[in-house]
């Protein structure tokens, strides 16, 4: 099982990029996965607790080790490869 948290700032372009990112995960991930979306403008306390200083940032909590990536949502295939290593 993969567990992810995506920290982002909501805007029109982020919505479509996040939707495409979810589609890429669905198409490329063999194992089950869960993606929690956190808008840092709505929940700055969660961003602060996780030491998030740039967005979008993706944290893979499971499987361990925890991995934190500052990502470009337009490079979906590269991101999925990095997440499964």
């Amino acid at each position: 099982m993969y567990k992810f948290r995506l920290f982002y700032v909501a805007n029109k372009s982020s919505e479509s990029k996040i939707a495409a990112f979810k589609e890429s995960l669905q198409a490329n991930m063999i194992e089950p996965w869960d993606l929690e979306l956190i808008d840092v403008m709505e929940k700055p306390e969660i961003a602060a607790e996780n030491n998030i200083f740039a967005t979008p940032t993706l944290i893979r909590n499971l499987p361990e080790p925890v991995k934190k990536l500052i990502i470009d949502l337009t490079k979906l295939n590269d991101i999925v490869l990095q997440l499964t290593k």
Side-chain angles (χ1 to χ4, degrees):
M1 174 77 178
Y2 283 83
K3 287 198 172 251
F4 305 107
R5 284 182 135 183
L6 177 61
F7 293 86
Y8 70 103
V9 175
N11 58 45
K12 289 181 184 179
S13 70
S14 68
E15 291 175 19
S16 62
K17 290 176 184 174
I18 290 169
F21 180 60
K22 285 181 178 179
E23 288 176 21
S24 181
L25 286 173
Q26 189 69 35
N28 295 299
M29 296 287 291
I30 296 170
E31 307 230 1
W33 56 273
D34 179 58
L35 176 64
E36 180 182 4
L37 300 173
I38 300 169
D39 179 350
V40 299
M41 299 305 284
E42 288 184 11
K43 298 180 181 175
E45 67 283 355
I46 297 174
E49 289 169 8
N50 286 271
N51 297 315
I52 303 301
F53 300 104
T55 61
T57 296
L58 184 68
I59 298 177
R60 184 190 74 190
N61 289 315
L62 289 175
E64 291 188 351
V66 173
K67 200 175 221 185
K68 187 184 290 188
L69 303 169
I70 298 172
I71 61 173
D72 178 350
L73 287 174
T74 61
K75 298 182 180 180
L76 300 173
N77 291 334
D78 295 339
I79 295 167
V80 172
L81 287 173
Q82 291 179 24
L83 295 175
T84 56
K85 290 183 180 180

